[in-house]
Amino acid sequence: MATKEFKLPDVGEGVAEGELVSWLVSPGDTVTEDQAVAEVETDKALVEVPSPYNGTVKELHVSEGEMVPVGDVIITYEVEGEAEDEPEVDVDDAEDAGEARADDAAETTDTAETETGETEQSSGKGGRVFAAPSARRLARELGVDIGSVDGSGPGGRVTEGDVRSAAEGDAESATADAGGAGDDAGPRSVEFSGKSATKRKGDAEQATNGQRAGGASTAEAAGRERTLAAPATRKLAEDEGVDLNDVPTDEARDGEAFVTQEAVLQYAEAQREAQQADAEAVQAEGETTEELVAADVEDDGAERVPYRGVRRTIGEQMAKSKYTAPHVTHHDSVVVDDLVDLREEMKGVAEERDAKLTYMPFIIKAVVAALKEYPYLNSTLDEEAGEIVLKDEYNIGIAVATDAGLMVPVVKECDRKSMLEIAREVSDLVERARNRKISREEMQGGTFTLTNFGAIGGEYATPIINFPEVGILGLGAIEERPAVRDGEVVAASTLPLSLSIDHRIVDGAVAAAFANTVMEYLDEPQLLLLDA
């Protein structure tokens, strides 16, 4: 029985992370290859993640509701007949780590020998190469001999920046960053690079006094280019968050500054006292605006919901549309008494043919007919090419309100489908969108969009265009409202319409003509049956 780790795959084009909405398995469950083990929500849609193995779930590494970067381990399996996964180990890194531990041990057991031995070489020139795996990979990609690169990292370690500098031929920069690591003989210690070329000497007590006087955290810092220190001192400085080049010292080895553990501890304590003093001063002066805001946020008792996934994608798309395309909205209303009667007559026939007939198929057919007369409403703007692209397909998006936000499934090739075919497809797409079972492909390729806010009881709105489309038609509620017939005010079933257009491509007069054509077909829906 072997152990296999399963990392979150790329569940969509360009997706970098996803929210693990729910687990479909538990530890101890037996799973088969391609069995769905989790539901993950990306910024595109909710998708099921299939298992790549036949085996038993050993451990789930992620909690429901947690954001997971693509490539992170989410499940560990126990798999029969498979080789055990072995972690990738960089040989030189393992060697470096082992020798660092040996150096620490040597210092602990024999300080005198440590202080009189030879300086360890930290570059590849005549010795080992200390480099992170990422730097080694970059060196291979750029064709750089990592053994010839001077390291600027702790202990002379070669960083990615050093490799890039070497690749660009900036030898002087690489040498300066490295600070001459490994060139000097002396006590067994490690050289550090710094930020300032000015050498200043002082003791830890002076640094402490400077901090207590309310100076900056590095007011008494040495600011050297290079510092010698034993491995254990180097480790202590790293743990304390101290730059050895800033630690004041009177000690020297072969003409170079030498820092002890005591000096590191005193300097670290001085920094902490200075930070505490600054904090107390701020508190004495009163809370800053930022702190007041933070306090208000903590105390207001409001619930905070993460802005991510589909909700964030919708928001970003709406903002892009609103601030890219200059919107103009045309409002109108059409009497649809005949449409109401015709739908009522045809509902029974539609049910016999397994179709639920709503008003939407009629409206889609009316919109397609109008788009054929006014093709600029069925276009996009290619800004890079400076061209308006007139589409020869009629793919109508239907905005659907879901728990995750607004989704827009697309009914493809509406001009080639019958009224009942459209009715079945709309019903299926809407249901699967609300259940989060719709695919990304089914929400792409639209050329014009309909949004039915009237389902909630509204009349007029200013819909935001589903960019990069150039038009969207909002539908109000079909209700009886006052209408004028033959000079008399009567009750009539009316449908309010709100048409938003991208004014860069469509003029207001064209938008009004398009809306009039849609209304003509809805006023006399029998005309639509000729193409149904």
Side-chain angles (χ1 to χ4, degrees), residues 467-481:
F467 191 82
E469 297 169 15
V470 301
I472 181 171
L473 181 63
L475 310 174
I478 296 180
E479 295 178 351
E480 284 195 339
R481 298 180 179 88

Side-chain angles (χ1 to χ4, degrees), residues 147-488:
S148 65
V149 180
D150 290 321
S152 65
R157 195 175 188 83
V158 177
T159 67
E160 293 184 43
D162 299 327
V163 174
R164 290 192 177 93
S165 295
E168 294 169 0
D170 191 1
E172 291 184 1
S173 175
T175 303
D177 289 342
D183 293 337
D184 297 299
R188 185 174 180 79
S189 57
V190 180
E191 176 184 326
F192 288 77
S193 62
K195 299 177 182 178
S196 172
T198 304
K199 292 187 177 180
R200 294 188 298 166
K201 292 186 178 180
D203 55 26
E205 181 178 357
Q206 289 174 328
T208 302
N209 292 337
Q211 302 301 336
R212 290 174 179 171
S217 61
T218 58
E220 298 295 329
R224 295 177 296 273
E225 275 191 303
R226 53 191 299 179
T227 300
L228 300 180
T233 304
R234 170 165 48 89
K235 178 65 167 58
L236 176 63
E238 182 180 347
D239 292 342
E240 294 287 343
V242 168
D243 184 346
L244 279 179
N245 294 318
D246 286 339
V247 178
T249 180
D250 286 333
E251 299 191 33
R253 295 289 188 274
D254 294 332
E256 296 293 340
F258 182 82
V259 170
T260 64
Q261 293 188 30
E262 292 75 14
V264 170
L265 289 173
Q266 287 180 331
Y267 184 68
E269 179 62 25
Q271 286 186 313
R272 284 191 288 270
E273 290 183 2
Q275 292 169 356
Q276 178 64 28
D278 289 343
E280 291 175 354
V282 170
Q283 185 174 5
E285 293 174 0
E287 293 181 318
T288 63
T289 302
E290 183 177 346
E291 290 170 333
L292 287 170
V293 172
D296 289 342
V297 169
E298 287 184 4
D299 297 338
D300 64 6
E303 179 184 2
R304 290 180 161 259
V305 179
Y307 181 58
R308 62 193 184 202
V310 175
R311 179 72 269 169
R312 183 174 64 186
T313 301
I314 294 169
E316 292 172 350
Q317 178 71 2
M318 293 298 99
K320 180 179 180 181
S321 176
K322 189 66 176 177
Y323 295 111
T324 301
H327 283 53
V328 171
T329 303
H330 173 85
H331 298 287
D332 217 323
S333 180
V334 57
V335 174
V336 289
D337 284 336
D338 289 347
L339 175 60
V340 172
D341 293 340
L342 180 60
R343 171 182 172 263
E344 191 64 32
E345 292 175 10
M346 297 182 63
K347 279 175 59 178
V349 177
E351 290 175 0
E352 293 175 359
R353 300 183 184 183
D354 298 322
K356 181 181 179 181
L357 188 61
T358 64
Y359 293 110
M360 188 60 72
F362 294 95
I363 296 170
I364 289 176
K365 280 293 187 179
V367 165
V368 169
L371 289 175
K372 289 183 177 181
E373 292 191 36
Y374 300 94
Y376 280 84
L377 271 295
N378 198 56
S379 69
T380 59
L381 176 61
D382 186 339
E383 296 185 66
E384 185 173 344
E387 298 172 341
I388 299 173
V389 183
L390 303 177
K391 301 300 181 75
D392 58 358
E393 296 179 332
Y394 299 90
N395 303 330
I396 307 301
I398 310 295
V400 179
T402 73
D403 292 339
L406 200 66
M407 294 187 178
V408 186
V410 178
V411 183
K412 307 288 179 63
E413 299 181 338
C414 293
D415 57 322
R416 302 181 183 181
K417 294 176 179 175
S418 70
M419 197 82 71
L420 292 184
E421 286 176 325
I422 292 175
R424 295 189 192 98
E425 192 166 342
V426 167
S427 179
D428 175 62
L429 289 171
V430 168
E431 181 180 2
R432 287 192 292 112
R434 287 175 176 159
N435 293 331
R436 307 295 305 283
K437 300 299 182 184
I438 196 165
S439 69
R440 227 163 37 94
E441 291 73 18
E442 291 174 305
M443 295 189 291
Q444 295 176 331
T447 61
F448 190 90
T449 297
L450 297 175
T451 178
N452 183 20
F453 45 79
I456 310 174
E459 290 190 47
Y460 296 101
T462 54
I464 296 178
I465 297 166
N466 189 15
F467 191 82
E469 297 169 15
V470 301
I472 181 171
L473 181 63
L475 310 174
I478 296 180
E479 295 178 351
E480 284 195 339
R481 298 180 179 88
V484 178
R485 282 183 180 169
D486 299 326
E488 295 184 2

Side-chain angles (χ1 to χ4, degrees), residues 90 92-93 96 129-140 146:
D90 188 286
D92 290 305
D93 282 353
D96 294 351
V129 178
F130 294 83
S134 59
R136 295 179 185 278
R137 285 194 297 271
L138 182 61
R140 289 194 293 270
I146 201 167

Side-chain angles (χ1 to χ4, degrees), residues 108-127:
T108 303
T109 57
D110 193 351
T111 304
E113 179 181 348
T114 300
E115 294 182 353
T116 58
E118 294 183 354
T119 302
E120 182 177 56
Q121 289 184 315
S122 59
S123 74
K125 299 177 180 179

